[in-house]
Amino acid sequence: QVQLVESGGGSAQGGGSLKLSCAASRGSLTLNTMLAWFRQAPGKNREGVAGISRSGPTWYADSVKGRFTISKDSTGNTLYLQMDNLKPEDTGMYLCALSVIGGHCSDITSYTSWGQGTQVTVSS
């Protein structure tokens, strides 16, 4: 099973930017049907933020459209999430996920490998 490692989290002020990265510590990100970023705030369910299919189409949650951008590097071995115009409600643990079975990008049950997460905290 692929092991995923996230990095790039931290603290930012509202309106600021952060860029998250996800790489495979074992296996390869290229062995996927889709990749995604999810987030989980304390006391809340894990929710999909953005996803990208193997062929390239992307999906974004309505709450982040126009502010976040999901992408992969040219080798397909690193997944990114560029987060701009951050808001306090973006605070949470951000996890990358990989699917080998397909499904909808926002469907948590579609994903077979998860990272441990990287914390993002946005202050007003």
Side-chain angles (χ1 to χ4, degrees):
Q1 189 172 358
V2 179
Q3 291 186 340
L4 306 175
V5 180
E6 303 93 338
S7 61
S11 298
Q13 288 193 325
S17 298
L18 287 171
K19 186 173 185 177
L20 307 182
S21 300
C22 174
S25 62
R26 186 175 71 185
S28 173
L29 283 184
T30 60
L31 300 176
N32 76 89
T33 56
M34 57 189 183
L35 297 165
W37 288 96
F38 283 75
R39 68 185 178 192
Q40 188 161 17
K44 293 189 176 180
N45 293 331
R46 190 171 295 184
E47 63 174 353
V49 174
I52 184 167
S53 68
R54 185 181 180 89
S55 57
T58 56
W59 168 85
Y60 295 94
D62 288 343
S63 60
V64 306
K65 279 180 183 176
R67 301 188 297 120
F68 290 11
T69 304
I70 189 170
S71 63
K72 295 182 285 188
D73 72 356
S74 59
T75 68
N77 277 316
T78 304
L79 179 70
Y80 301 105
L81 185 67
Q82 176 67 45
M83 305 186 295
D84 298 317
N85 191 20
L86 284 162
K87 302 178 180 181
E89 50 264 42
D90 294 320
T91 294
M93 183 71 74
Y94 282 70
L95 306 98
C96 69
L98 177 151
S99 173
V100 297
I101 60 175
H104 192 277
C105 282
S106 64
D107 185 352
I108 195 170
T109 64
S110 297
Y111 295 89
T112 51
S113 296
W114 293 84
Q116 293 296 308
T118 185
Q119 179 68 34
V120 170
T121 302
V122 183
S123 57
S124 57

